[in-house]
PDB file of all heavy atoms in Angstrom:
ATOM      1  N   LEU U  83       5.681   3.457  -7.023  1.00  0.00           N
ATOM      2  CA  LEU U  83       5.911   4.709  -6.308  1.00  0.00           C
ATOM      3  C   LEU U  83       6.006   5.884  -7.275  1.00  0.00           C
ATOM      4  O   LEU U  83       5.439   6.952  -7.030  1.00  0.00           O
ATOM      5  CB  LEU U  83       7.173   4.627  -5.452  1.00  0.00           C
ATOM      6  CG  LEU U  83       7.046   3.892  -4.130  1.00  0.00           C
ATOM      7  CD1 LEU U  83       8.422   3.648  -3.517  1.00  0.00           C
ATOM      8  CD2 LEU U  83       6.163   4.669  -3.155  1.00  0.00           C
ATOM      9  N   LEU U  84       6.726   5.696  -8.367  1.00  0.00           N
ATOM     10  CA  LEU U  84       6.874   6.772  -9.345  1.00  0.00           C
ATOM     11  C   LEU U  84       5.520   7.165  -9.924  1.00  0.00           C
ATOM     12  O   LEU U  84       5.183   8.348  -9.982  1.00  0.00           O
ATOM     13  CB  LEU U  84       7.836   6.373 -10.465  1.00  0.00           C
ATOM     14  CG  LEU U  84       8.062   7.438 -11.538  1.00  0.00           C
ATOM     15  CD1 LEU U  84       8.650   8.713 -10.952  1.00  0.00           C
ATOM     16  CD2 LEU U  84       8.948   6.889 -12.646  1.00  0.00           C
ATOM     17  N   LYS U  85       4.735   6.188 -10.343  1.00  0.00           N
ATOM     18  CA  LYS U  85       3.418   6.491 -10.918  1.00  0.00           C
ATOM     19  C   LYS U  85       2.535   7.217  -9.914  1.00  0.00           C
ATOM     20  O   LYS U  85       1.794   8.134 -10.275  1.00  0.00           O
ATOM     21  CB  LYS U  85       2.754   5.220 -11.424  1.00  0.00           C
ATOM     22  CG  LYS U  85       3.412   4.687 -12.682  1.00  0.00           C
ATOM     23  CD  LYS U  85       2.737   3.450 -13.202  1.00  0.00           C
ATOM     24  CE  LYS U  85       3.484   2.881 -14.375  1.00  0.00           C
ATOM     25  NZ  LYS U  85       3.147   3.459 -15.633  1.00  0.00           N
ATOM     26  N   GLU U  86       2.624   6.848  -8.651  1.00  0.00           N
ATOM     27  CA  GLU U  86       1.815   7.503  -7.619  1.00  0.00           C
ATOM     28  C   GLU U  86       2.285   8.942  -7.384  1.00  0.00           C
ATOM     29  O   GLU U  86       1.478   9.870  -7.352  1.00  0.00           O
ATOM     30  CB  GLU U  86       1.886   6.710  -6.313  1.00  0.00           C
ATOM     31  CG  GLU U  86       1.058   7.282  -5.197  1.00  0.00           C
ATOM     32  CD  GLU U  86      -0.446   7.174  -5.417  1.00  0.00           C
ATOM     33  OE1 GLU U  86      -0.888   6.258  -6.134  1.00  0.00           O
ATOM     34  OE2 GLU U  86      -1.173   8.028  -4.871  1.00  0.00           O
ATOM     35  N   ILE U  87       3.580   9.139  -7.230  1.00  0.00           N
ATOM     36  CA  ILE U  87       4.084  10.472  -6.895  1.00  0.00           C
ATOM     37  C   ILE U  87       3.909  11.438  -8.067  1.00  0.00           C
ATOM     38  O   ILE U  87       3.756  12.640  -7.871  1.00  0.00           O
ATOM     39  CB  ILE U  87       5.553  10.427  -6.397  1.00  0.00           C
ATOM     40  CG1 ILE U  87       5.897  11.668  -5.560  1.00  0.00           C
ATOM     41  CG2 ILE U  87       6.541  10.267  -7.530  1.00  0.00           C
ATOM     42  CD1 ILE U  87       5.261  11.717  -4.223  1.00  0.00           C
ATOM     43  N   LEU U  88       3.883  10.930  -9.306  1.00  0.00           N
ATOM     44  CA  LEU U  88       3.687  11.800 -10.459  1.00  0.00           C
ATOM     45  C   LEU U  88       2.327  12.499 -10.422  1.00  0.00           C
ATOM     46  O   LEU U  88       2.162  13.562 -11.021  1.00  0.00           O
ATOM     47  CB  LEU U  88       3.827  11.011 -11.770  1.00  0.00           C
ATOM     48  CG  LEU U  88       5.250  10.616 -12.149  1.00  0.00           C
ATOM     49  CD1 LEU U  88       5.256   9.763 -13.408  1.00  0.00           C
ATOM     50  CD2 LEU U  88       6.159  11.815 -12.298  1.00  0.00           C
ATOM     51  N   GLN U  89       1.379  11.952  -9.697  1.00  0.00           N
ATOM     52  CA  GLN U  89       0.068  12.589  -9.557  1.00  0.00           C
ATOM     53  C   GLN U  89       0.156  13.908  -8.781  1.00  0.00           C
ATOM     54  O   GLN U  89      -0.762  14.718  -8.827  1.00  0.00           O
ATOM     55  CB  GLN U  89      -0.901  11.652  -8.845  1.00  0.00           C
ATOM     56  CG  GLN U  89      -1.200  10.395  -9.618  1.00  0.00           C
ATOM     57  CD  GLN U  89      -2.135   9.491  -8.863  1.00  0.00           C
ATOM     58  OE1 GLN U  89      -3.168   9.930  -8.366  1.00  0.00           O
ATOM     59  NE2 GLN U  89      -1.770   8.220  -8.780  1.00  0.00           N
ATOM     60  N   TYR U  90       1.265  14.124  -8.074  1.00  0.00           N
ATOM     61  CA  TYR U  90       1.434  15.324  -7.249  1.00  0.00           C
ATOM     62  C   TYR U  90       2.355  16.345  -7.895  1.00  0.00           C
ATOM     63  O   TYR U  90       2.697  17.354  -7.283  1.00  0.00           O
ATOM     64  CB  TYR U  90       1.921  14.917  -5.848  1.00  0.00           C
ATOM     65  CG  TYR U  90       0.895  14.050  -5.177  1.00  0.00           C
ATOM     66  CD1 TYR U  90       0.939  12.673  -5.312  1.00  0.00           C
ATOM     67  CD2 TYR U  90      -0.162  14.618  -4.474  1.00  0.00           C
ATOM     68  CE1 TYR U  90      -0.037  11.867  -4.739  1.00  0.00           C
ATOM     69  CE2 TYR U  90      -1.136  13.820  -3.899  1.00  0.00           C
ATOM     70  CZ  TYR U  90      -1.068  12.446  -4.043  1.00  0.00           C
ATOM     71  OH  TYR U  90      -2.045  11.655  -3.485  1.00  0.00           O
ATOM     72  N   GLN U  91       2.753  16.090  -9.140  1.00  0.00           N
ATOM     73  CA  GLN U  91       3.557  17.049  -9.893  1.00  0.00           C
ATOM     74  C   GLN U  91       2.731  18.297 -10.147  1.00  0.00           C
ATOM     75  O   GLN U  91       1.615  18.220 -10.652  1.00  0.00           O
ATOM     76  CB  GLN U  91       4.006  16.417 -11.215  1.00  0.00           C
ATOM     77  CG  GLN U  91       4.777  17.344 -12.107  1.00  0.00           C
ATOM     78  CD  GLN U  91       5.096  16.724 -13.460  1.00  0.00           C
ATOM     79  OE1 GLN U  91       4.813  15.563 -13.721  1.00  0.00           O
ATOM     80  NE2 GLN U  91       5.671  17.527 -14.336  1.00  0.00           N
ATOM     81  N   LYS U  92       3.266  19.469  -9.792  1.00  0.00           N
ATOM     82  CA  LYS U  92       2.557  20.733  -9.964  1.00  0.00           C
ATOM     83  C   LYS U  92       3.120  21.574 -11.112  1.00  0.00           C
ATOM     84  O   LYS U  92       2.450  22.455 -11.627  1.00  0.00           O
ATOM     85  CB  LYS U  92       2.628  21.555  -8.676  1.00  0.00           C
ATOM     86  CG  LYS U  92       1.934  20.898  -7.503  1.00  0.00           C
ATOM     87  CD  LYS U  92       2.088  21.737  -6.253  1.00  0.00           C
ATOM     88  CE  LYS U  92       1.393  21.092  -5.078  1.00  0.00           C
ATOM     89  NZ  LYS U  92       1.565  21.887  -3.846  1.00  0.00           N
ATOM     90  N   GLN U  93       4.374  21.337 -11.451  1.00  0.00           N
ATOM     91  CA  GLN U  93       5.051  22.107 -12.496  1.00  0.00           C
ATOM     92  C   GLN U  93       6.125  21.212 -13.088  1.00  0.00           C
ATOM     93  O   GLN U  93       6.166  20.025 -12.786  1.00  0.00           O
ATOM     94  CB  GLN U  93       5.630  23.394 -11.900  1.00  0.00           C
ATOM     95  CG  GLN U  93       6.546  23.152 -10.716  1.00  0.00           C
ATOM     96  CD  GLN U  93       6.883  24.417  -9.969  1.00  0.00           C
ATOM     97  OE1 GLN U  93       6.833  25.503 -10.502  1.00  0.00           O
ATOM     98  NE2 GLN U  93       7.244  24.298  -8.707  1.00  0.00           N
ATOM     99  N   GLU U  94       6.971  21.764 -13.943  1.00  0.00           N
ATOM    100  CA  GLU U  94       8.042  20.964 -14.526  1.00  0.00           C
ATOM    101  C   GLU U  94       8.729  20.150 -13.432  1.00  0.00           C
ATOM    102  O   GLU U  94       9.047  20.675 -12.372  1.00  0.00           O
ATOM    103  CB  GLU U  94       9.055  21.884 -15.204  1.00  0.00           C
ATOM    104  CG  GLU U  94      10.233  21.140 -15.797  1.00  0.00           C
ATOM    105  CD  GLU U  94      11.216  22.082 -16.455  1.00  0.00           C
ATOM    106  OE1 GLU U  94      10.963  22.531 -17.574  1.00  0.00           O
ATOM    107  OE2 GLU U  94      12.247  22.377 -15.808  1.00  0.00           O
ATOM    108  N   LEU U  95       8.947  18.878 -13.708  1.00  0.00           N
ATOM    109  CA  LEU U  95       9.551  17.974 -12.733  1.00  0.00           C
ATOM    110  C   LEU U  95      10.948  17.581 -13.187  1.00  0.00           C
ATOM    111  O   LEU U  95      11.134  17.129 -14.315  1.00  0.00           O
ATOM    112  CB  LEU U  95       8.676  16.727 -12.570  1.00  0.00           C
ATOM    113  CG  LEU U  95       9.149  15.665 -11.588  1.00  0.00           C
ATOM    114  CD1 LEU U  95       9.229  16.225 -10.172  1.00  0.00           C
ATOM    115  CD2 LEU U  95       8.211  14.468 -11.628  1.00  0.00           C
TER     116      LEU U  95
END
Side-chain angles (χ1 to χ4, degrees):
L83 281 169
L84 180 60
K85 288 181 185 275
E86 182 69 27
I87 202 71
L88 286 176
Q89 296 179 49
Y90 298 91
Q91 177 185 356
K92 296 178 180 179
Q93 55 192 336
E94 178 180 282
L95 180 62

